[in-house]
Amino acid sequence: MKSPLLSLPGAVPAEGPDDGVAAHYGDLFREQRALADGSGLVDLSHRGVVTVTGDDRLSWLHLLLTQHVSDLPAGLATEALILSAHGHIEHALYLVDDGTTVWAHVEPGTQDDLVAYLESMKFFYRVEVADRTADFAVVHLPAGSIAEVPSDTVVREASHGRDLFLPRAELEAFAAAHGPAIGILAYEALRVEAHRPRLGLETDHRTIPHELGWIGTAVHLQKGCYRGQETVARVHNLGKPPRRLVFLHLDGSEVLLPAHGTPLRVAADGDEGRQIGFITTSARHHELGPIALALVKRNVPVDAELLAGVTAAAQEVVVEP
């Protein structure tokens, strides 16, 4: 869906997975500083919105998700994954229950597959699953924002801010009242700084939760009864995920940022050395300069200088080897 906020002055459309919203509105670093200071709002209206209603919604989702949600208090935000039978990440859900309905926002374009899977697992449970993407838009207010939210709006409050499930018809008016609008590039830069993984960027077809630090935040280790649990338990007990997420400080002299998928090599081996990982997300940060998240093999020394293509990179540990 193309956001109406793309008609605002200075809006430059985003590309790739964030197609449909603005990359920025003319001043990337000003937008980042505003977001870090608790000002403005981020248009996430391209994200999918899925709801689950019915008396069995929480007990039923508890059987399918990696998170403990059987007694999730109303208004408490959480996140959860759906794994394959082999423990690979298939979906990431950002959830809140309002007392009658579980609301989740998900990566753009993944809602159809998610709804189809959930529908296939309903059996005799008293639940109804719905794709509400056409009716509701996700809007992010940063931590510290003093914007007043209508009392009937569903809010998911996390450590880095509030996600609102706003009726699409109210998006433009809400942005006009609580702007300035901030582009997705600023939001992504702060996400990279905070080491928060994102489905489809930090994940590929074989990613398991341990590699990204999703154990604890999206995976509850004291529950069972979900697909892929055996892999989660085995890797947790052995303590040896094959790869690990790292944070990179990139050489600021390069004009272009390394794109998603750019091969990583140990700098001492040169640009012809063996590939030991790849860039997942890169960004320009208003204070840190060029930064990135990347997946590397577990046994890469934590103090090794790396090369992202031809760009020098110094790593910080996110997931312990």
Side-chain angles (χ1 to χ4, degrees), residues 154-209:
V154 177
V155 178
R156 179 185 178 275
E157 187 158 3
S159 60
H160 61 289
R162 292 175 286 170
D163 297 333
L164 315 183
F165 293 88
L166 197 70
R168 281 194 179 272
E170 300 176 11
L171 176 58
E172 285 184 275
F174 188 86
H178 301 291
I182 292 172
I184 195 70
L185 289 183
Y187 181 83
E188 283 289 278
L190 299 191
R191 178 183 70 81
V192 171
E193 178 193 16
H195 309 161
R196 297 196 307 270
R198 182 177 173 186
L199 183 78
L201 293 177
E202 276 63 58
T203 68
D204 57 21
H205 67 283
R206 59 192 180 96
T207 305
I208 60 175

Side-chain angles (χ1 to χ4, degrees), residues 54-226:
D55 292 343
D56 296 336
R57 66 190 184 282
L58 291 177
S59 58
W60 176 67
L61 285 170
H62 187 77
L63 300 174
L64 305 178
L65 304 180
T66 57
Q67 188 59 273
H68 196 300
V69 297
S70 60
D71 53 358
L72 183 68
L76 181 64
T78 191
E79 55 189 86
L81 309 175
I82 291 177
L83 307 180
S84 73
H86 298 291
H88 301 136
I89 300 169
E90 292 188 344
H91 293 282
L93 296 81
Y94 299 85
L95 305 166
V96 68
D97 184 83
D98 68 1
T100 61
T101 302
V102 172
W103 294 76
H105 66 80
V106 298
E107 283 298 320
T110 65
Q111 62 268 24
D112 289 348
D113 287 344
L114 174 60
V115 168
Y117 171 70
L118 294 177
E119 287 285 353
S120 74
M121 301 300 290
K122 284 171 63 173
F123 303 117
F124 55 84
Y125 290 93
R126 296 170 296 173
V127 293
E128 294 297 329
V129 180
D131 178 358
R132 306 298 304 277
T133 309
D135 303 316
F136 288 87
V138 180
V139 173
H140 177 77
L141 297 176
S145 170
I146 60 173
E148 293 186 9
V149 178
S151 59
D152 58 350
T153 300
V154 177
V155 178
R156 179 185 178 275
E157 187 158 3
S159 60
H160 61 289
R162 292 175 286 170
D163 297 333
L164 315 183
F165 293 88
L166 197 70
R168 281 194 179 272
E170 300 176 11
L171 176 58
E172 285 184 275
F174 188 86
H178 301 291
I182 292 172
I184 195 70
L185 289 183
Y187 181 83
E188 283 289 278
L190 299 191
R191 178 183 70 81
V192 171
E193 178 193 16
H195 309 161
R196 297 196 307 270
R198 182 177 173 186
L199 183 78
L201 293 177
E202 276 63 58
T203 68
D204 57 21
H205 67 283
R206 59 192 180 96
T207 305
I208 60 175
H210 315 68
E211 297 175 325
L212 303 183
W214 251 329
I215 299 296
T217 60
V219 179
H220 196 288
L221 293 174
Q222 303 305 315
K223 63 158 289 197
C225 303
Y226 62 89

Side-chain angles (χ1 to χ4, degrees), residues 24 30 51 62 87 122 133 135 144 160 169 263 272 287 291:
H24 60 84
R30 178 189 60 78
T51 60
H62 187 77
K122 284 171 63 173
T133 309
D135 303 316
H160 61 289
E272 298 298 324
E287 290 181 342
I291 57 176

